[in-house]
Amino acid sequence: MTPEVGRGTRISLAKKYASPDDVRIRSSGYEKCLQCGRCTASCPAAYAFGDYAPRDIMRRLSLGEIGELARSEDIWKCGQCYSCHARCPRNNSAGLAILALREYALKHGIAPESIKRLASLIKNNLYDKGEILLPSTFAQNGRDKVGPRTYARYLENLDKRVKLGYCRDDARKVPIPEESMAEIRAIIDLTYAGE
Amino acid sequence: MLNNTAMGKVPDNNYYLFKSCVAGSMYPGIEIAIRFVLDRIGVDYSDDPRHSSCTGFAYHTGVMPLSTNLALNARNFSLAAGDTNKNIVCSCPTSYGNLKECKDILSKDADLRDRTAGVLYKIGKDYDISPSVNHISEIFLARLDDITAKSVRSLSGIKAVTHHGCHYTKIFYRDVASGNFERPMVLDNIAKAFGCDIVEYGERSLCCGMGFHHTLTESEYPEEVLKRKFSSIRDAGPDVIITQCPGCIFNLDHYQESLAGSIGDIDIPVLYISELVALMLGAGPEEIGLDMHIVPVDGLLEKIGIKGTKK
Ligand code: SF4
Ligand code: SF4
């Protein structure tokens, strides 16, 4: 044991490595992670995809593997349910850090193509109507895969929503007024870098 | 039935209704039903068309930058702060969690607060993030006596399971208004007040499998999670699944048919809490869009003693 790391000395790996200056990585608590695995035991994504573990995300953060994490498919497996966050004995949050990693991946153009496509669809929805999801957005995953009855009822709903007084292709009954849309677009232009 | 910590915190009037893009796009009846219930009990609320999406679905997908999320919601807070009805009430747990998170980050991080306030200044809005953030199910619980006093129907003889949204129970997990994050009782207590029999199931706290981008880009995650969730629900044998989240209904409703191949037939109606409460207060099924649900609700309606939605 070297004298500098004797008893009572806290070792912080974080200081050795650069991390993106994102409040969500700082407050995910990765430096406090015990590698106990409660997060992974709670994680539905770890159950759905056998090769995914939020505990590993925390370990890799403490080793400073930001670029590698942002490039890996792992960060897109998380379902953002926050079971890890609610159950961590140290109040850590792998799900929160993942949000920062996802933003970093998109900014650097290294996110998967399907995510890039979804990002531009959602940004367009927001720019056009002030909502990120519209009735048509839900047809994305080929709703025909969900079964014939489900698909048929889904299609009928466009007419039914109009009967209820809602717009056919807007999420609203009363669309956002133009004056407000101008404010919303100005905010997007001022804050949403990239693309 | 509110937790001690929620007593006095859940506002009993003056609601600023916050729209959900999932509800508005897929189940507009959720919002109609909310207004129906609030009208019946005679509270004041605003239905302001000016606020934008909270962007929570995109934020959690990872395709909405934090800076845009903060600035758009600072604008939304500013609109509520300038209204006579200032208490923000969300129908979507993701709006609830996201608005609370924005408020939390902006209160703690001076740099992000200054940048966000600067953006608001440029568009001519005041920076004021003081309005409280609540979920409609908490409001129903806080006003339960007034609501049940107007009841014209009953859920006696109906067996239900509840599913609370992860973004309601697990992000600000200390704020769950009744029960705790592992065993939230918000929906249970509302339904029980109408005589409903709430049954237990093992996977109560498991997510609905929405997973944000997952449900729009692939089906592996939702299907794997839902196989487990539905197997557990089916063992409990409910007449209905009650939720507090438009996204959870979407997933629980739209995937039942496609799961038949792997776990066998399931055909359990899924209702949002406002739809159920509005029915109890006399709303007509089609008036609140119940015919838009994917799993038909007619069998359940008949059990409650209401003519179905089919002509
Ligand atoms: S539960 Fe918390 S402390 Fe345990 S491995 Fe996960 S992040 Fe680390
Ligand atoms: S938020 Fe993500 S990492 Fe955390 S438990 Fe849920 S799916 Fe797993």
Side-chain angles (χ1 to χ4, degrees):
Chain A
M1 194 182 276
T2 53
E4 305 87 71
V5 284
R7 279 174 86 112
T9 309
R10 287 193 60 162
I11 307 169
S12 174
L13 288 167
K15 293 203 182 72
K16 283 208 317 218
Y17 300 95
S19 66
D21 183 28
D22 190 306
V23 63
R24 295 166 295 180
I25 295 220
R26 290 199 302 276
S27 50
S28 72
Y30 68 90
E31 293 178 78
K32 298 181 280 148
C33 175
L34 298 163
Q35 289 290 300
C36 70
R38 254 185 108 169
C39 51
T40 304
S42 315
C43 176
Y47 166 80
F49 310 106
D51 54 351
Y52 172 75
R55 171 170 59 179
D56 283 350
I57 304 280
M58 296 307 252
R59 182 181 54 83
R60 292 170 70 183
L61 278 175
S62 71
L63 293 171
E65 298 178 5
I66 302 286
E68 293 87 334
L69 272 170
R71 235 175 299 271
S72 85
E73 280 180 21
D74 283 347
I75 58 167
W76 303 100
K77 291 180 179 158
C78 160
Q80 289 287 295
C81 70
Y82 289 83
S83 299
C84 54
H85 168 97
R87 296 201 175 112
C88 173
R90 313 218 75 186
N91 289 321
N92 294 350
S93 187
L96 183 65
I98 281 168
L99 280 183
L101 293 164
R102 287 177 176 179
E103 183 172 335
Y104 182 91
L106 264 172
K107 243 190 207 152
H108 290 80
I110 50 180
E113 286 309 313
S114 64
I115 298 290
K116 287 186 194 163
R117 279 196 300 274
L118 190 59
S120 70
L121 170 80
I122 281 178
K123 190 182 176 189
N124 285 341
N125 285 353
L126 186 66
Y127 212 86
D128 286 350
K129 309 264 191 186
E131 293 281 11
I132 54 164
L133 303 174
L134 301 170
S136 59
T137 315
F138 291 87
Q140 280 313 292
N141 197 14
R143 294 254 69 96
D144 50 334
K145 273 194 251 153
V146 293
R149 184 182 79 178
T150 304
Y151 194 55
R153 284 180 73 94
Y154 166 77
L155 289 180
E156 284 168 17
N157 282 348
L158 283 177
D159 292 327
K160 289 180 184 161
R161 57 183 291 111
V162 176
K163 257 203 259 166
L164 287 174
Y166 274 71
C167 304
R168 183 175 278 271
D169 30 290
D170 194 311
R172 307 273 183 127
K173 191 165 181 146
V174 179
I176 298 178
E178 237 347 276
E179 202 179 73
S180 295
M181 280 309 307
E183 293 171 4
I184 292 163
R185 289 184 190 123
I187 289 178
I188 300 169
D189 292 340
L190 286 163
T191 57
Y192 196 154
E195 274 187 284
Chain B
M1 266 171 289
L2 290 169
N3 286 337
N4 287 338
T5 46
M7 286 279 190
K9 263 200 209 156
V10 179
D12 63 3
N13 208 337
N14 302 107
Y15 308 127
Y16 183 89
L17 298 187
F18 199 88
K19 291 169 211 351
S20 146
C21 52
V22 183
S25 294
M26 301 306 294
Y27 300 94
I30 289 175
E31 291 182 347
I32 298 172
I34 288 173
R35 295 191 293 265
F36 182 95
V37 175
L38 297 182
D39 286 339
R40 280 293 150 103
I41 62 167
V43 293
D44 289 329
Y45 63 86
S46 298
D47 186 15
D48 183 359
R50 294 172 303 163
H51 80 74
S52 70
S53 167
C54 76
T55 80
F57 192 105
Y59 178 63
H60 288 283
T61 294
V63 302
M64 188 57 55
L66 176 64
S67 52
T68 310
N69 183 28
L70 291 173
L72 283 172
N73 286 320
R75 175 180 173 276
N76 290 332
F77 274 114
S78 167
L79 290 170
D83 200 295
T84 45
N85 297 310
K86 297 185 200 306
N87 302 309
I88 294 177
V89 174
C90 305
S91 56
C92 175
T94 294
S95 312
Y96 164 92
N98 188 32
L99 285 166
K100 276 197 173 190
E101 187 174 325
C102 287
K103 202 168 152 144
D104 196 49
I105 292 175
L106 290 170
S107 320
K108 288 178 184 155
D109 192 307
D111 180 42
L112 287 172
R113 184 197 55 222
D114 291 348
R115 275 196 271 161
T116 305
V119 172
L120 278 211
Y121 177 78
K122 284 194 184 139
I123 64 156
K125 284 262 173 301
D126 292 331
Y127 177 86
D128 181 350
I129 60 163
S130 64
S132 68
V133 181
N134 310 274
H135 187 272
I136 189 67
S137 57
E138 300 174 321
I139 304 302
F140 288 169
L141 197 58
R143 300 293 304 245
L144 198 53
D145 290 343
D146 306 295
I147 290 174
T148 50
K150 302 276 177 187
S151 172
V152 298
R153 291 176 177 140
S154 146
L155 291 174
S156 111
I158 302 297
K159 263 168 76 173
V161 295
T162 61
H163 170 74
H164 293 73
C166 293
H167 285 194
Y168 177 73
T169 57
K170 295 173 190 155
I171 301 184
F172 290 89
Y173 52 88
R174 292 185 189 90
D175 295 352
V176 172
S178 188
N180 58 47
F181 81 88
E182 289 286 10
R183 240 186 94 71
M185 294 292 287
V186 181
L187 300 173
D188 304 52
N189 288 332
I190 299 168
K192 278 185 199 163
F194 296 101
C196 190
D197 179 17
I198 303 291
V199 287
E200 286 300 323
Y201 65 111
E203 296 290 3
R204 207 182 137 100
S205 65
L206 181 63
C207 163
C208 70
M210 165 65 92
F212 302 91
H213 62 291
H214 290 294
T215 220
L216 295 181
T217 59
E218 46 100 349
S219 47
E220 189 178 352
Y221 178 81
E223 286 186 357
E224 283 309 310
V225 176
L226 282 171
K227 272 187 218 167
R228 194 161 134 184
K229 183 101 192 168
F230 272 121
S231 302
S232 172
I233 289 177
R234 197 174 37 195
D235 289 345
D239 300 306
V240 58
I241 302 166
I242 306 171
T243 84
Q244 57 168 184
C245 175
C248 296
I249 295 206
F250 176 82
N251 243 40
L252 294 169
D253 199 15
H254 279 71
Y255 279 96
Q256 288 192 31
E257 189 179 4
S258 63
L259 287 174
S262 46
I263 60 166
D265 286 344
I266 333 160
D267 212 24
I268 311 170
V270 196
L271 287 190
Y272 186 91
I273 190 68
S274 68
E275 297 176 322
L276 198 67
V277 173
L279 271 182
M280 292 301 101
L281 302 197
E286 286 187 29
E287 180 189 0
I288 54 168
L290 293 192
D291 53 336
M292 294 181 73
H293 285 245
I294 297 300
V295 175
V297 296
D298 306 271
L300 171 72
L301 293 173
E302 272 159 37
K303 275 194 189 169
I304 302 175
I306 308 168
K307 227 176 113 263
T309 60
K310 282 197 209 98
K311 292 272 156 56

